[in-house]
Amino acid sequence: MSLERISRQDAYVARHYSYDEDEVIVADFGAADVSVDVLDDVAIVVAERDGEHFQTELELPEGEAQAFINNGVVSIEVRR
């Protein structure tokens, strides 16, 4: 497994984990209400916290992606 920090902003922290057959991108948005749309090579995340909305895009590696949200944490698993 390898770990790469891909982003650290005021709104969230994102990390990219690489395994033999999978890659996982995890972004922690804290106490925000979060939604995510996965397109071919990008995940568009929209979050609302304290009445403010923000949007960010996370680049995805090539493969079949599936997104999960749990308590403000977005996990995107990509099978190569």
Side-chain angles (χ1 to χ4, degrees):
M1 175 185 86
S2 67
L3 166 66
E4 173 188 355
R5 176 180 281 174
I6 58 175
S7 180
R8 178 168 178 81
Q9 298 183 7
D10 291 339
Y12 68 96
V13 174
R15 291 191 168 87
H16 182 170
Y17 300 88
S18 294
Y19 300 97
D20 291 336
E21 296 179 13
D22 298 318
E23 296 192 40
V24 179
I25 293 122
V26 179
D28 187 351
F29 290 88
D33 290 325
V34 182
S35 65
V36 61
D37 288 322
V38 176
L39 304 175
D40 292 332
D41 61 348
V42 69
I44 300 171
V45 181
V46 177
E48 178 186 355
R49 183 181 319 144
D50 299 329
E52 293 185 35
H53 288 81
F54 57 93
Q55 176 177 318
T56 190
E57 294 181 1
L58 300 171
E59 290 186 35
L60 302 176
E62 189 174 319
E64 183 180 331
Q66 187 172 16
F68 305 93
I69 302 170
N70 188 7
N71 293 328
V73 177
V74 175
S75 301
I76 304 168
E77 298 176 2
V78 181
R79 174 136 335 238
R80 293 186 252 166

